[in-house]
Amino acid sequence: MLRVGAHTSIAGGVHNAVTEQLDYEGNCGQIFSHSPQVWQDPNIDPENATQFREQSADNDIGPWVIHSSYLVNLCTPKDDLRAKSIDSMQREVDAADQLGIEYVNVHLGAHTGAGVEGGLDNAASALNELDVPDDVTVLIESDAGSGTKLGGQFEHLAAVQDRTDLDIEFCLDTAHAFAAGYDISGPDGVAATVTEFDDVVGLEDLACIHLNDSKHACGTNKDEHAHVGEGEIGEAGMRALINHEDLRDVPFVLETPTENGKSFEWNVQRVRELREN
């Protein structure tokens, strides 16, 4: 079954994310547990959490992903930021457990002078500090790779997996991968990129795909999302991703913009149109 959905809001209660997902005709999705621009604890009412779990089950919506705060930086060499990042991630995995959510997604962050190897070591050791509930998995998301940010190369993802004791999996963001230099604008490029991901990281650990087109060219390291099939990746690339035999069963979560009269609902429908039986 094609699993495709969007990032939805928890305004008014986390259970409202399910209602919003149904409005988009999505059957999986992603949320923030709080505003991602600030250090803030998830504020989840137990009754709303029960409603979220029950409504998701009743409508066969899943898997869900919690996206961590944008402030989290696992690679940082700064002790105070590292401590805040670990604390924030612990609260996210606990919130996921409360909500029956399978995944918590996080970017590696930036090494800010520690160097690539130092940053990767920092990320792995930060992950080791987490006490992750049995039914929750941390996903490391691929990055666009600007500045000292890590995660733009598949080798970064594999290195963290090798160095941490935590059982982690991965989220591949198509716009980020494209911005980082993986040309997925056509079938050949998609096939080559999927093969490389499998060789370096392993497709068995690919748990989610952020299916976003890109407003900027391949290799620019610019992270700005476009509607499915209407950016620089384009329809041919998106079609190849959606129908690749090794990706067909991976859930697609949209983080596409709301502009030009098109919203998440339009993009969910576009994915369904591009899917071939």
Side-chain angles (χ1 to χ4, degrees):
M1 175 188 289
L2 172 62
R3 288 284 171 182
V4 58
H7 186 107
T8 50
S9 172
I10 67 167
V14 66
H15 60 295
N16 289 330
V18 182
T19 303
E20 185 176 340
Q21 198 65 248
L22 290 170
D23 289 342
Y24 299 146
E25 298 185 11
N27 57 9
C28 65
Q30 178 175 274
I31 62 171
F32 292 122
S33 70
H34 58 85
S35 172
Q37 287 90 8
V38 297
W39 295 113
Q40 182 178 336
D41 293 343
N43 184 18
I44 298 170
D45 178 80
E47 183 177 344
N48 288 344
T50 298
Q51 289 176 280
F52 176 89
R53 292 194 303 270
E54 291 178 348
Q55 291 175 17
S56 294
D58 289 346
N59 292 282
D60 190 25
I61 297 180
W64 284 96
V65 181
I66 290 180
H67 195 299
S68 67
S69 168
Y70 294 143
L71 301 180
V72 169
N73 186 349
L74 300 177
C75 293
T76 183
K78 300 175 182 178
D79 290 342
D80 57 342
L81 180 53
R82 174 185 171 88
K84 287 181 178 179
S85 297
I86 293 170
D87 180 68
S88 179
M89 282 297 295
Q90 185 62 55
R91 295 178 187 277
E92 298 286 25
V93 297
D94 290 341
D97 189 44
Q98 180 185 9
L99 293 166
I101 288 179
E102 295 93 327
Y103 302 117
V104 172
N105 181 74
V106 64
H107 296 265
L108 287 176
H111 68 70
T112 61
V116 172
E117 294 303 316
L120 295 172
D121 284 341
N122 290 342
S125 63
L127 291 167
N128 286 345
E129 296 294 320
L130 299 178
D131 181 13
V132 180
D134 289 341
D135 294 330
V136 178
T137 300
V138 172
L139 305 183
I140 305 299
E141 180 178 344
S142 65
D143 200 273
S146 60
T148 65
K149 290 182 178 178
L150 300 182
Q153 299 176 29
F154 294 160
E155 287 79 6
H156 295 168
L157 307 181
V160 172
Q161 187 177 46
D162 288 342
R163 299 178 195 191
T164 185
D165 298 327
L166 188 66
D167 289 330
I168 60 172
E169 295 181 6
F170 300 96
C171 172
L172 177 65
D173 186 303
T174 55
H176 295 173
F178 188 69
Y182 296 93
D183 189 352
I184 50 175
S185 59
D188 290 345
V190 168
T193 299
V194 172
T195 296
E196 183 171 351
F197 186 93
D198 192 26
D199 290 343
V200 175
V201 183
L203 284 168
E204 66 276 8
D205 291 324
L206 179 61
C208 177
I209 292 173
H210 282 169
L211 190 69
N212 303 305
D213 212 322
S214 174
K215 289 187 177 181
H216 302 283
C218 183
T220 59
N221 303 121
K222 293 182 178 180
D223 177 17
E224 192 174 4
H225 300 173
H227 295 300
V228 171
E230 298 200 346
E232 294 294 321
I233 297 175
E235 182 176 322
M238 283 285 145
R239 184 187 298 275
L241 286 162
I242 293 164
N243 291 288
H244 192 286
E245 61 180 358
D246 291 327
L247 306 182
R248 288 177 64 89
D249 294 332
V250 180
F252 297 109
V253 174
L254 302 168
E255 299 172 321
T256 46
T258 298
E259 60 186 16
N260 302 324
K262 296 169 183 174
S263 64
F264 282 133
E265 184 177 5
W266 184 92
N267 283 278
V268 168
Q269 182 57 36
R270 186 67 177 133
V271 173
R272 296 191 189 281
E273 290 170 355
L274 292 174
R275 180 66 163 228
E276 299 166 0
N277 294 328

